[in-house]
């Protein structure tokens, strides 16, 4: 499967979402873009939770490193992220706010600690209001390593 009008954009902190993004790329053979915060999140779990909580409470949307991609060149965006505190990570919200997804189809995928997508999909719709947003493919962090076939089934469903 090769679709040059499809792009993968993702943010990953622990590597779980990165693994899913790489499986998607292997299946559809298209470009991939990593969202990276200008100031990286801490590597320790509790420190990351504390920083994310501080950003959420303060309504802080941290900046991200510039990416060399024109979203207007694509029709479909596979959009990956970890669910943090039942939400999109703050840097992901910044990325959505700062880019124009008008007329795009966003196919969200995420990893989570066991609580599912939370309000992450509604936040995608809030920050990319002119995009068509599909239901998310969501998988528990501890199940990611064995999920390649499940990811491939989901991709196949998206292109039926």
């Amino acid at each position: 499967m090769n679709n040059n009008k499809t792009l993968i954009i993702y943010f990953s902190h622990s590597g779980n979402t990165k693994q899913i993004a790489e499986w998607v790329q292997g299946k559809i053979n298209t470009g991939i873009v990593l969202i990276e915060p200008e100031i990286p999140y801490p590597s320790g779990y509790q420190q990351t939770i504390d920083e994310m909580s501080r950003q959420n409470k303060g309504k802080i949307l941290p900046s991200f490193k510039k990416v060399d991609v024109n979203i207007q060149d694509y029709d479909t965006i596979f959009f990956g992220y970890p669910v943090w505190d039942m939400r999109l990570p703050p840097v992901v919200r910044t990325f959505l706010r700062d880019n124009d997804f008008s007329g795009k189809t966003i196919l969200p995928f995420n990893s989570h600690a066991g609580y599912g997508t939370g309000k992450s999909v509604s936040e995608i719709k809030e920050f990319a209001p002119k995009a068509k947003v599909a239901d998310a493919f969501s998988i528990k962090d501890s199940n990611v390593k064995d999920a390649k076939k499940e990811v491939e089934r989901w991709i196949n469903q998206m292109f039926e």
Side-chain angles (χ1 to χ4, degrees):
M1 194 177 302
N2 183 347
N3 187 338
N4 62 2
K5 289 292 206 173
T6 301
L7 180 67
I8 303 160
I9 300 172
Y10 77 97
F11 167 72
S12 186
H13 185 260
S14 67
N16 289 317
T17 306
K18 177 182 181 191
Q19 178 63 74
I20 298 167
E22 289 173 348
W23 285 334
V24 172
Q25 185 183 37
K27 180 77 173 167
I28 65 172
N29 189 28
T30 195
I32 191 166
V33 173
L34 171 63
I35 300 169
E36 294 182 88
E38 282 285 338
I39 299 171
Y41 286 100
S43 58
Y45 178 78
Q46 190 57 52
Q47 294 86 355
T48 300
I49 296 295
D50 292 345
E51 178 59 19
M52 177 266 308
S53 181
R54 182 187 74 78
Q55 290 176 353
N56 283 340
K57 286 178 184 165
K59 298 185 186 324
I60 297 167
L61 295 177
S63 59
F64 56 89
K65 293 180 182 178
K66 185 175 178 348
V67 294
D68 187 23
V69 66
N70 182 356
I71 291 171
Q72 297 312 305
D73 292 342
Y74 301 91
D75 297 327
T76 304
I77 313 287
F78 281 86
F79 196 80
Y81 55 91
V83 176
W84 286 358
D85 194 27
M86 305 297 288
R87 301 185 68 185
L88 290 172
V91 72
V92 173
R93 295 194 306 266
T94 307
F95 187 88
L96 287 167
R97 179 200 66 195
D98 291 357
N99 286 280
D100 182 8
F101 287 87
S102 297
K104 308 304 172 198
T105 298
I106 297 176
L107 306 175
F109 63 92
N110 64 61
S111 58
H112 60 83
Y115 298 102
T117 61
K119 65 180 196 173
S120 66
V121 174
S122 65
E123 286 185 318
I124 292 171
K125 291 175 182 177
E126 175 187 342
F127 283 87
K130 295 182 179 176
K132 177 184 173 198
V133 182
D135 292 336
F137 173 83
S138 188
I139 189 159
K140 189 174 179 184
D141 293 337
S142 59
N143 295 335
V144 168
K145 68 181 182 326
D146 298 318
K148 184 175 183 182
K149 289 197 183 316
E150 188 176 348
V151 170
E152 290 176 348
R153 276 193 300 275
W154 168 67
I155 295 164
N156 289 338
Q157 289 173 355
M158 294 299 100
F159 287 103
E160 285 180 342

